[in-house]
Amino acid sequence: MAVSTHMQEPVQATPAGIPACRFCARPLRHTLVDLGMSPLCESYVTLEGLSRMEPFYPLRVHVCDGCFLVQLEQFVPAEEIFTEYAYFSSYADSWVEHARQYVEAISERLGLGPQSLVVELASNDGYLLQHFVARGVPVLGVEPARNVARTAIEKGIPTRVEFFGCELARRLAAEGFMADLLLGNNVLAQVPDLNDFVAGMKLLLKPGGVLTMEFPHLLALMNENQFDTIYHEHFSYFSLMTAAEIFARHGLELFDVEELTTHGGSLRIYGRHVGSGDPVGPAVPRLLALERAAGLDRLDAYRAFEEQVHETKRRILEFLIAARRAGKRVVGYGAPGKGNTLLNYCGIRSDMIEFTVDRNVYKQGRFLPGTRIPIQHPDRVREVRPDYLFILPWNFKDEIMRQNAFIRDWGGRFVVPIPELKVYE
């Protein structure tokens, strides 16, 4: 069974001043949420840069009334964002373990071995492909960020330092790099030209090959109030319904889907060339029905989200103001992109959160974009003994609370702001 689509033919022009959907080109007339002005969330500020101007851009989220793709306008070329990048996947232990489990499962499911080729798009520092290498499966990474690609290459993982699209896919295919497994984790959201990217996947996938993509689930974002996962580096936010339409437009069908707990609730979709395998599994129509029951194919479902976000901001500020008035010390944990969205939207500066700490040595000694909150080494938590440790990467809260359980020695408590502010006693 093929996934049905209902989308109309793309609209080729929009009225002046109204942006167009990056997939179907319809005018974007509807807003999901407006988070005001914000800097690029991965543009960490150096000590020398503190005296320089920092650009801010609108962080307004649109929803298309044709294909229901939730999206931002693109204000900055992808080359400016991703050529030098601050996110190294290997610093999150649970994420590396998630990748290892995936490699083990997909290798068994597809029978991958020395005769296979695995290509990962946005392969980062080799956090995932290293597990295929350990199993003797040939790999190729594609990663546009020079600094993180360098780390992968030093691990012995072949990596092309380029942006992916049709042009690169044709060159790789001509060189013999056709993928038995083509994968990408948390990259689809970061692609400004969706049609070129997915069309490139079609070109690079072997006739009997399989693709898998992981991305945060729009339904989880809305149900769990995950507005901080919205930032300029994430151009699009996907339901299964819309993802299926995008892939179908380019001759690829989604035949299976898994719901994951990663990043607050993600999907792992399985795709292939249309008509190249067994019937579509039951998980796909089941989840499509769930999304439609939640109203993701109707604009009404999107209209209540903004007030929910406003109330979350008010509660976070109420907590921080009360804590600081009581003389309590609040220190952040982590310097993730999502944290920068939350802090800038709420207007939180170092008078509320003194500093934050991060395991990523690339970020240490720098400052958060916009808020200019200092980023320090995690050892500073023991030295300062804060009353509250404010966890910004809430999707890793269990791992972080285990690693920092020692704050209870002096009565310290953890604070997690999303989906609603909670203090762990």
Side-chain angles (χ1 to χ4, degrees):
M1 156 182 138
V3 177
S4 63
T5 63
H6 64 273
M7 195 190 69
Q8 302 173 26
E9 286 302 306
V11 177
Q12 297 303 320
T14 59
I18 298 178
C21 175
R22 65 171 33 90
F23 170 51
C24 73
R26 292 176 70 89
L28 295 174
R29 302 180 184 275
H30 306 280
T31 299
L32 177 69
V33 65
D34 188 343
L35 299 176
M37 302 290 288
S38 190
L40 298 179
C41 75
E42 295 286 348
S43 299
Y44 295 87
V45 180
T46 63
L47 184 62
E48 298 76 24
L50 286 177
S51 60
R52 292 197 290 269
M53 184 274 292
E54 191 175 359
F56 279 56
Y57 304 93
L59 197 52
R60 183 183 180 200
V61 190
H62 305 275
V63 57
C64 177
D65 60 11
C67 63
F68 296 99
L69 178 65
V70 171
Q71 59 200 282
L72 299 178
E73 293 178 64
Q74 183 183 0
F75 295 102
V76 182
E79 290 78 6
E80 289 189 24
I81 299 174
F82 300 115
T83 300
E84 184 85 6
Y85 203 49
Y87 184 74
F88 289 72
S89 297
S90 292
Y91 284 108
D93 296 341
S94 58
W95 183 242
V96 175
E97 175 59 18
H98 169 76
R100 188 197 65 77
Q101 293 176 9
Y102 162 80
V103 169
E104 186 176 297
I106 198 70
S107 295
E108 295 300 320
R109 179 170 179 170
L110 302 183
L112 299 173
Q115 76 291 345
S116 310
L117 177 65
V118 174
V119 178
E120 183 181 9
L121 309 179
S123 50
N124 202 263
D125 59 6
Y127 75 101
L128 186 148
L129 289 181
Q130 64 184 349
H131 301 300
F132 281 116
V133 171
R135 297 175 68 94
V137 179
V139 302
L140 177 68
V142 178
E143 171 56 56
R146 291 186 298 260
N147 58 324
V148 291
R150 190 179 308 119
T151 300
I153 292 167
E154 289 169 356
K155 292 179 182 177
I157 297 168
T159 305
R160 292 292 182 92
V161 187
E162 297 187 56
F163 284 92
F164 183 76
C166 286
E167 194 274 331
L168 177 57
R170 290 189 188 96
R171 280 193 281 118
L172 290 174
E175 294 172 32
F177 289 105
M178 294 289 287
D180 296 278
L181 171 63
L182 180 58
L183 71 107
N185 288 350
N186 298 319
V187 60
L188 201 62
Q190 298 180 331
V191 175
D193 190 341
L194 275 175
N195 289 309
D196 180 64
F197 189 86
V198 177
M201 296 179 72
K202 168 78 172 174
L203 294 172
L204 197 58
L205 189 65
K206 276 186 180 177
V210 168
L211 66 88
T212 72
M213 302 291 288
E214 293 183 24
F215 48 81
H217 191 191
L218 175 63
L219 187 60
L221 184 155
M222 295 175 64
N223 286 346
E224 298 297 322
N225 195 32
Q226 297 166 1
F227 70 90
D228 59 338
T229 61
I230 296 166
Y231 37 90
H232 298 104
E233 289 84 343
H234 282 181
F235 299 112
S236 306
Y237 304 83
F238 299 93
S239 61
L240 177 64
M241 176 183 69
T242 299
E245 290 189 354
I246 293 168
F247 281 83
R249 167 70 62 81
H250 297 285
L252 297 164
E253 65 178 352
L254 304 186
F255 66 90
D256 198 3
V257 61
E258 296 176 38
E259 294 181 81
L260 309 173
T261 59
T262 52
H263 297 291
S266 297
L267 298 183
R268 177 186 291 148
I269 57 173
Y270 293 76
R272 64 191 175 200
H273 295 287
V274 170
S276 64
D278 296 330
V280 171
V284 174
R286 184 166 57 241
L287 186 53
L288 287 172
L290 180 67
E291 290 183 345
R292 292 190 175 107
L296 293 190
D297 59 347
R298 301 186 303 276
L299 285 174
D300 288 349
Y302 299 89
R303 291 188 172 124
F305 184 69
E306 189 161 43
E307 177 52 33
Q308 178 178 300
V309 172
H310 294 334
E311 180 58 21
T312 302
K313 173 180 178 176
R314 291 188 280 263
R315 290 180 178 177
I316 291 171
L317 289 174
E318 284 168 357
F319 166 79
L320 289 172
I321 290 168
R324 297 299 283 156
R325 280 182 173 156
K328 304 297 185 182
R329 299 191 74 174
V330 184
V331 167
Y333 190 97
K338 59 169 61 69
N340 292 324
T341 289
L342 183 143
L343 295 172
N344 279 287
Y345 171 63
C346 294
I348 296 167
R349 302 291 187 270
S350 56
D351 59 332
M352 296 285 188
I353 295 178
E354 294 180 41
F355 61 87
T356 192
V357 301
D358 201 282
R359 294 172 61 191
N360 186 341
V361 295
Y362 180 90
K363 297 179 182 180
Q364 291 167 15
R366 300 190 181 212
F367 300 80
L368 298 182
T371 64
R372 306 298 178 91
I373 293 172
I375 308 168
Q376 301 184 12
H377 190 281
D379 288 349
R380 287 286 287 155
V381 175
R382 288 185 188 274
E383 296 170 11
V384 171
R385 297 165 69 91
D387 298 287
Y388 296 103
L389 197 60
F390 196 97
I391 298 176
L392 293 167
W394 46 261
N395 49 310
F396 295 123
K397 68 179 185 296
D398 294 335
E399 176 183 333
I400 291 166
M401 288 193 284
R402 283 195 304 270
Q403 292 170 349
N404 294 271
F406 57 82
I407 72 169
R408 297 192 177 96
D409 295 345
W410 60 80
R413 291 181 281 181
F414 297 102
V415 181
V416 179
I418 299 293
E420 60 183 3
L421 189 134
K422 182 175 180 180
V423 178
Y424 290 80
E425 297 293 342

